[in-house]
C-alpha cells in the first residue's frame, strides 16, 4: 500500500515527510535547517539576508551538520545575488531547491532547472503563481493571508484551491499551518505538502533568543496584528511595545519613529546620516512612499534583527504567522515532526475509515 505521506514534494526533494521549513531571515540558520532535515522534513537556509561570503560559510557549515540535502533562499535584487547564484550552482550536489519571492527571470530559472535544482517560489496571489510557472518553475508554495511577515489578504482556505485550479504543477500550502491536522487538510485539498515558518521558529533549535521566544509563546491571536506602517506593505507581527508605538503614530510622530529607526540603522550598519537618508530616498524614487515611511522601511531589517538576533522583545519587531496565537510550546524539531507525522497519519486514517 502506498504511503499517504509520500508526495511529489518528498519524491523531488528526497525528504521523508512533506513538510518544508521556510527561510526566515536570521532564523533559518544551519543549526535549524540541519535539525529540520535530520528529523525528516526539508529545510531552507536564509541566504537572502547574507553577503556572498557569509552565504558560502553558512552553506559549508550546513553541509557538515546534516547528510541530507537542503534548500537555499535568496532574492535576485539583494547585493551579491549573482555570486550567491554561483554558490548555489557550485553546491548542486547538496542543494535540491531554491526559494524566492520576487526574483529570478526565465534565464536564471532555466540555469537552476538544468542543474537539477527545483525552483519553489513563494507566492501570495493566483496571478503570481501563474507567472512563476510560465517562467519555468516546476513547483510553487502558496502563502495565504495567515502567514507571517509580508502577507496578503486572501486566507489559505480560499487561495490554495484557487492556485491548485490555476496551475498544473505541484503546490505546497503555507500560512496558518502548525500541526498534523493542518498537513492532513492540505493534502486532502490537493497540496503536496505544507511549509511552516513560525512553527519552526518556535522550536528548541531555533536561534531566536529566550526573551522573544517567550513573547511568541505568550502571544494570543489578539496580540498579533497586520501593520502597514513599518514599510508601507502589510506585515503581520506581534503587537509589542514598539509596534504599538508605530501603529499609534500620526504624521508628526511617524517622523519621530522614522528618526529612531534611522538611528538604529546608523548604529547597526555604521552608515552616516547622509547615507541613511540617501538609502531612504532611493526607496522614494518612484514617488510611491513618503520619506518618513521610506526611512522606516529602510531600517525595518535592523528592527527585526534587534528582536530575533539581539533578543530585545520590546524594542524590536517580531514577524509571525497568526498560528503563533495557538502555539504554546518550544519542542525540538525531532519531537515536532514526530507529532506532526503521527497526527497526520491518524487524521487521514480516520477519514478513510469514515470517522
Amino acid at each position: 500500500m502506498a504511503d499517504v505521506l509520500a508526495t511529489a514534494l518528498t519524491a523531488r526533494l528526497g525528504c521523508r515527510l512533506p513538510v518544508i521549513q521556510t527561510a526566515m531571515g536570521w532564523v533559518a540558520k544551519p543549526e535549524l535547517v540541519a535539525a529540520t532535515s535530520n528529523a525528516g522534513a526539508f529545510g531552507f537556509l536564509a541566504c537572502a539576508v547574507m553577503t556572498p561570503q557569509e552565504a558560502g560559510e553558512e552553506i559549508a557549515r550546513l553541509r557538515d551538520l546534516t547528510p541530507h540535502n537542503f534548500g537555499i533562499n535568496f532574492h535576485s535584487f539583494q547585493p551579491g545575488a549573482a555570486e550567491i547564484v554561483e554558490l548555489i550552482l557550485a553546491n548542486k550536489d547538496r542543494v535540491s531547491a531554491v526559494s524566492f519571492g520576487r526574483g529570478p527571470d526565465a534565464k536564471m530559472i532555466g540555469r537552476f532547472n538544468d542543474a537539477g535544482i527545483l525552483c519553489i517560489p513563494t507566492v501570495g496571489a493566483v496571478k503570481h503563481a501563474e507567472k512563476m510557472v510560465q517562467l519555468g518553475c516546476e513547483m510553487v508554495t502558496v502563502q495565504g493571508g495567515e502567514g507571517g511577515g509580508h502577507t496578503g489578504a486572501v486566507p489559505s482556505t480560499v487561495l490554495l484551491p484557487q492556485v491548485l485550479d490555476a496551475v498544473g504543477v505541484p503546490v505546497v500550502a503555507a500560512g496558518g499551518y502548525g500541526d498534523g491536522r493542518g498537513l492532513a487538510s492540505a493534502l486532502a485539498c490537493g497540496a503536496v505538502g505544507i511549509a511552516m515558518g513560525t512553527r519552526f521558529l518556535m522550536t528548541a533549535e531555533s536561534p531566536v533568543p529566550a526573551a522573544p521566544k517567550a513573547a511568541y509563546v505568550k502571544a494570543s491571536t489578539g496580540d498579533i496584528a497586520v501593520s502597514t506602517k513599518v514599510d508601507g506593505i502589510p506585515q503581520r507581527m506581534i503587537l509589542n511595545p514598539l509596534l504599538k508605538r508605530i501603529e499609534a503614530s500620526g504624521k508628526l510622530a511617524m517622523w519621530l519613529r522614522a528618526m529612531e529607526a534611522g538611528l538604529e540603522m546608523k548604529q547597526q550598519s555604521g552608515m552616516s546620516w547622509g547615507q541613511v537618508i540617501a538609502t531612504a530616498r532611493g526607496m522614494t524614487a518612484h514617488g510611491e512612499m513618503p520619506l518618513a515611511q521610506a526611512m522606516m522601511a529602510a531600517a525595518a531589517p535592523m528592527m527585526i534583527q534587534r528582536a530575533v538576533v539581539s533578543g530585545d522583545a520590546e524594542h524590536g519587531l517580531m514577524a509571525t504567522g497568526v498560528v503563533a496565537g495557538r502555539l504554546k510550546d518550544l519542542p525540538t524539531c525531532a519531537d515536532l515532526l514526530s507529532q506532526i507525522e503521527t497526527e497526520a497519519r491518524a487524521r487521514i486514517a480516520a477519514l478513510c475509515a469514515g470517522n
Side-chain angles (χ1 to χ4, degrees), residues 139-195:
M139 189 177 290
V140 296
T141 295
V142 53
Q143 178 177 297
E146 300 92 330
H150 292 115
T151 188
V154 183
S156 297
T157 50
V158 175
L159 186 58
L160 177 60
Q162 283 184 310
V163 174
L164 284 165
D165 289 343
V167 301
V169 301
V171 176
V172 182
Y177 296 96
D179 58 22
R181 292 174 296 181
L183 174 56
S185 69
L187 295 178
C189 194
V192 295
I194 57 173

Side-chain angles (χ1 to χ4, degrees), residues 269-283:
S269 67
M271 290 182 178
S272 67
W273 272 113
Q275 290 171 317
V276 170
I277 293 172
T279 299
R281 286 198 179 281
M283 303 182 78

